[in-house]
Amino acid sequence: MWNRKRRKGRRPAQPVRMELCDLCADIFPESEAVRGYVPDSSAAHATNDWYDGLRLITACCDEHFDVVKDDYRHRPFVEEELWAAKVARALTTGPPELSMDQLAGRTGLHEPQIRRAIAWHNERMRQQHRMDP
Ligand SMILES: [Zn+2]
């Protein structure tokens, strides 16, 4: 039998995950982050629709967190915008061609909501198009 060399101390130290402040763009270790959710109708969570309509804020300190939170408080919460975000998620994370029934199943929305969401999205696209030279 031979002595197996123990791999003591060979494991690299855990890299510290860094975060970015949403206000000042300062970079700091994840453990120092001040976080919280604010209502935001443009936010559809990538994997958990329980968080739809909530945006996670990350800040370097309480003060900056409050500034960002305050910004979102003044942002109008538009239901159609949130529905459109859910529809967009359904279309980008699965088969892009879905029937209305399939879309309703994937988004948890009713057909009138989906139609309003699409109308809202199209109107916004038209507005953006008009603004572009
Ligand atoms: Zn900051």
Side-chain angles (χ1 to χ4, degrees):
M1 287 296 279
W2 63 88
N3 282 329
R4 282 180 64 175
K5 274 190 181 155
R6 295 201 51 197
R7 298 185 164 207
K8 202 177 166 189
R10 288 184 70 184
R11 245 181 86 189
Q14 282 283 319
V16 179
R17 281 193 52 164
M18 301 304 279
E19 286 290 351
L20 193 71
C21 178
D22 288 346
L23 185 69
C24 67
D26 196 12
I27 296 169
F28 48 87
E30 192 183 26
S31 58
E32 293 169 22
V34 181
R35 287 179 211 268
Y37 285 93
V38 291
D40 176 7
S41 52
S42 71
H45 195 273
T47 52
N48 188 345
D49 60 14
W50 199 84
Y51 290 101
D52 284 355
L54 295 171
R55 180 168 301 280
L56 180 63
I57 294 178
T58 304
C60 64
C61 60
D62 286 333
E63 215 169 88
H64 283 185
F65 179 82
D66 286 344
V67 173
V68 178
K69 191 174 87 178
D70 222 48
D71 275 354
Y72 277 102
R73 219 179 44 191
H74 297 296
R75 189 183 193 283
F77 193 95
V78 182
E79 279 196 311
E80 282 83 354
E81 184 178 33
L82 180 58
W83 299 338
K86 286 173 181 275
V87 170
R89 178 181 56 204
L91 294 176
T92 51
T93 57
E97 297 287 335
L98 292 174
S99 70
M100 189 56 86
D101 279 350
Q102 289 169 321
L103 205 50
R106 298 270 315 262
T107 57
L109 298 172
H110 299 293
E111 191 179 322
Q113 294 173 320
I114 294 172
R115 292 195 187 283
R116 279 170 61 188
I118 293 169
W120 179 91
H121 175 79
N122 290 345
E123 178 56 29
R124 214 168 110 119
M125 288 292 115
R126 273 194 294 274
Q127 281 174 7
Q128 281 176 358
H129 203 68
R130 260 181 252 134
M131 277 186 269
D132 289 337

